[in-house]
Amino acid sequence: MAGSGVFEEIFDGEVFKYYFDGEWRKSSSGKSVGIVNPTSRKTQYKVQACTQEEVNKVIENAKTAQKAWAKTPLWKRAELLHKAAAILKEHKAPIAECLVKEIAKPAKDAVTEVVRSGDLVSYCAEEGVRILGEGKFLTSDSFPGNERTKYCLVSKIPLGVVLAIPPFNYPVNLAVSKIAPALIAGNSLVLKPPTQGAVAALHMVHCFHLAGFPKGLISCVTGKGSEIGDFLTMHPGVNCISFTGGDTGIAISKKAGMVPLQMELGGKDACIVLEDADLDFVASNIVKGGFSYSGQRCTAVKVVLVMDSVADALVEKVNAKVAKLTVGPPEDDCDITPVVSESSSNFIEGLVLDAKEKGATFCQEYKRDGNLIWPLLLDNVRPDMRIAWEEPFGPVLPVIRINSVEEGIHHCNASNFGLQGCIFTRDINKAILISDAMETGTVQINSAPARGPDHFPFQGLKDSGIGSQGITNSINMMTKIKSTVINLPTPTYSMG
Ligand SMILES: NC(=O)C1=CN([C@@H]2O[C@H](COP(=O)(O)OP(=O)(O)OC[C@H]3O[C@@H](n4cnc5c(N)ncnc54)[C@H](OP(=O)(O)O)[C@@H]3O)[C@@H](O)[C@H]2O)C=CC1
Ligand SMILES: O=C(O)[C@H](O)COP(=O)(O)O
């Protein structure tokens, strides 16, 4: 059960505590924030509503802890991360239980998220000792007019305090994807978890606590993003922000100071299907890509752009598979579970009603019970419908019929988003041409979009983000280059 066993100290019996200076504490605000279970729609857990004063102390503390951590040998940092990864995996069951209750993630996927997170932390430790242990050596004589009198030693140094803000859909995995690179690179880390998913994140942080990281190096403050978010992101003590979420990220990037930003935001991932594609294979990918975790993935297939000549056949195959999806509570490991909140369900319903009014073909009857929305394929969607452009973040997938590849590319590139896209065809030459023309951070050929494996670069163009994630890129992003130049009194050429 959440907050029991080794996790007892993170819970006061009513409210989960926040983590500061290596200890679990209650906020002086005396206030808490409720976390509503998307399935029961009742308050499941409560977390502390931290104050600005507490945020100030956490950041001050993180600053001090970072100085000592930067002097800790790289292999020791890696050793602690490996330990945290093992503890995380050992306690996958209670953490997964929180994911089921807080964000209605299907039971098996919840366990997978925790295990994947442990693997990510270990991989990051290994990658860190390799790439941070290497630098560059340059000599001056390669630039015109110079003799070989200067040796430049280039290394990577930490940034300081990294602020990590993950979204609700992967509160553990998208938290460790920021925590592990920050720590291996010698930074300290302040985590502000999403409210839905905060309790799973607090359990994950306790695994780092149990691993024995120095006091103050990792902290976790809870509270509503709308209340403490701006204070955190605009705080002068923060040296880097790594954020994953929706449009909030655009607002943060306008307000944040002169600090490096890593922003992974929304997407409208297009799936372009050509006439020669294997339609059974495509249908499986569309159903998995569009409906897993009820479409609440930034990398979900969010619009199908299919050549008209094969559209009827494809839609029939997709419908046959949609009919087999199980719908119900996450505890039963159903394919389709309630979406995260009532406001999210209402938003999705708004997109569905707009499509209905404008004449889309409903392949299934629209059905909703509370936050549970049955999977729905909308055929013959046209560009004047909101669902053609907006991200439902739910189990509703639009199909747009196209008459040329150019039409598909045009629709994809007219979007404000540019996260991922995918192409299905047996013609690899055509696939490469289309991939090059698509304005997205990643294009998958013959597979639905996906972020993983977690060491692959992951980035969005346009409103989908700034910078690139993936283990190696995140480590690099959370460091700065430092040069030390050795100046010699006389030129020296090797072997000369
Ligand atoms: N590209 C990618 O990698 C991914 C993108 N996403 C995108 O995220 C969205 C869904 O996630 P969701 O959690 O709803 O996204 P939000 O943008 O609503 O929230 C993300 C995080 O920001 C916090 N937050 C809210 N307001 C502020 C603020 N003013 N300052 C700082 N932080 C704030 C939230 O806290 P709180 O919960 O307390 O409000 C949460 O921790 C979708 O658009 C999806 O596409 C999701 C996953 C991956
Ligand atoms: O948050 C998201 O939606 C993820 O970044 C997508 O991850 P996945 O493709 O591995 O599900």
Side-chain angles (χ1 to χ4, degrees):
M1 221 182 70
S4 63
V6 293
F7 296 105
E8 209 170 334
E9 63 183 294
I10 77 171
F11 190 41
D12 75 1
E14 202 189 331
V15 185
F16 282 87
K17 300 179 194 167
Y18 79 104
Y19 187 59
F20 165 58
D21 200 28
E23 283 175 22
W24 291 95
R25 299 171 186 238
K26 291 191 196 180
S27 168
S28 60
S29 71
K31 291 187 191 147
S32 63
V33 178
I35 297 170
V36 176
N37 180 324
T39 312
S40 67
R41 293 190 287 156
K42 297 204 169 96
T43 300
Q44 180 77 43
Y45 304 125
K46 286 181 191 163
V47 292
Q48 309 290 326
C50 291
T51 63
Q52 294 189 350
E53 194 43 45
E54 281 155 354
V55 168
N56 280 335
K57 282 189 183 153
V58 157
I59 292 177
E60 196 50 45
N61 197 243
K63 214 168 158 179
T64 310
Q66 190 270 328
K67 301 276 178 226
W69 181 242
K71 293 185 185 131
T72 305
L74 197 45
W75 68 266
K76 276 197 186 169
R77 293 184 215 158
E79 206 171 71
L80 279 172
L81 283 171
H82 280 302
K83 208 168 159 193
I87 297 171
L88 193 58
K89 283 181 169 183
E90 187 188 335
H91 298 292
K92 59 181 184 287
I95 302 176
E97 183 201 304
C98 299
L99 293 171
V100 168
K101 302 271 187 251
E102 286 182 287
I103 59 164
K105 186 161 273 201
K108 273 193 197 143
D109 292 352
V111 173
T112 305
E113 175 171 347
V114 184
V115 174
R116 171 183 180 179
S117 300
D119 290 339
L120 190 158
V121 174
S122 294
Y123 191 105
C124 191
E126 283 169 23
E127 184 72 349
V129 291
R130 306 276 170 266
I131 65 169
L132 295 165
E134 276 181 2
K136 255 188 173 180
F137 171 62
L138 287 85
T139 57
S140 49
D141 60 312
S142 55
F143 199 86
N146 285 271
E147 292 286 355
R148 201 171 193 264
T149 52
K150 289 174 189 285
Y151 290 171
C152 180
L153 305 175
V154 183
S155 59
K156 289 172 190 155
I157 56 167
L159 296 175
V161 179
V162 175
L163 171 65
I165 306 183
F168 81 83
N169 62 343
Y170 283 89
V172 174
N173 184 264
L174 284 170
V176 300
S177 74
K178 302 169 190 317
I179 296 172
L183 296 183
I184 193 70
N187 300 289
S188 57
L189 191 290
V190 176
L191 174 68
K192 156 43 198 127
T195 295
Q196 300 290 141
V199 174
L202 292 169
H203 282 71
M204 174 272 296
V205 168
H206 193 56
C207 295
F208 282 78
H209 169 82
L210 294 173
F213 280 89
K215 284 185 173 191
L217 190 68
I218 308 169
S219 346
C220 183
V221 286
T222 51
K224 283 193 181 148
S226 52
E227 284 166 19
I228 53 166
D230 283 356
F231 191 72
L232 275 159
T233 55
M234 292 163 75
H235 200 289
V238 167
N239 305 111
C240 170
I241 303 173
S242 177
F243 175 91
T244 308
D247 287 352
T248 318
I250 298 177
I252 292 174
S253 66
K254 289 182 181 148
K255 288 184 246 176
M258 209 176 79
V259 297
L261 300 179
Q262 187 179 47
M263 294 278 158
E264 291 296 342
L265 312 182
K268 185 72 185 172
D269 297 12
C271 171
I272 300 182
V273 186
L274 304 194
E275 291 101 334
D276 68 341
D278 172 345
L279 296 185
D280 288 305
F281 177 70
V282 180
S284 301
N285 271 275
I286 288 178
V287 172
K288 188 164 179 279
F291 295 104
S292 55
Y293 188 34
S294 308
Q296 296 173 110
R297 293 165 57 236
C298 58
T299 50
V301 170
K302 296 201 181 107
V303 57
V304 177
L305 301 163
V306 56
M307 292 297 281
D308 196 37
S309 57
V310 292
D312 285 343
L314 180 68
V315 166
E316 195 184 321
K317 286 176 192 296
V318 173
N319 281 334
K321 290 182 189 298
V322 167
K324 290 191 184 141
L325 293 173
T326 53
V327 181
E331 287 83 354
D332 293 352
D333 206 35
C334 290
D335 299 313
I336 303 294
T337 54
V339 298
V340 71
S341 63
E342 190 179 345
S343 65
S344 178
S345 325
N346 292 343
F347 175 76
I348 297 163
E349 186 161 291
L351 294 179
V352 170
L353 296 180
D354 173 78
K356 185 170 193 155
E357 204 180 292
K358 293 176 182 157
T361 307
F362 278 51
C363 298
Q364 296 77 24
E365 186 195 343
Y366 172 63
K367 211 172 146 193
R368 170 182 171 185
D369 178 8
N371 296 339
L372 186 61
I373 295 177
W374 270 251
L376 176 61
L377 191 74
L378 297 172
D379 195 3
N380 295 304
V381 165
R382 290 188 322 267
D384 62 323
M385 300 175 190
R386 287 175 56 203
I387 191 104
W389 306 105
E390 295 181 40
E391 185 187 29
F393 233 60
V396 178
L397 181 58
V399 177
I400 299 181
R401 293 167 177 240
I402 53 172
N403 290 302
S404 67
V405 168
E406 290 69 26
E407 206 185 317
I409 295 171
H410 175 77
H411 186 92
C412 168
N413 291 352
S415 171
N416 290 338
F417 294 118
L419 190 61
Q420 290 209 359
C422 61
I423 308 156
F424 287 90
T425 173
R426 289 187 168 97
D427 184 339
I428 187 68
N429 297 325
K430 249 190 202 166
I432 298 291
L433 282 173
I434 299 170
S435 166
D436 282 351
M438 284 169 82
E439 293 169 6
T440 59
T442 303
V443 176
Q444 303 268 351
I445 297 174
N446 291 327
S447 178
R451 170 166 52 102
D454 288 341
H455 66 308
F456 280 12
F458 180 57
Q459 54 281 317
L461 306 184
K462 301 188 267 185
D463 285 354
S464 289
I466 303 175
S468 178
Q469 275 197 133
I471 292 173
T472 315
N473 287 347
S474 292
I475 295 173
N476 284 330
M477 185 267 168
M478 292 174 185
T479 59
K480 200 165 171 71
I481 297 292
K482 169 140 187 190
S483 302
T484 300
V485 182
I486 303 171
N487 290 276
L488 303 168
T490 51
T492 163
Y493 289 88
S494 53
M495 310 287 178

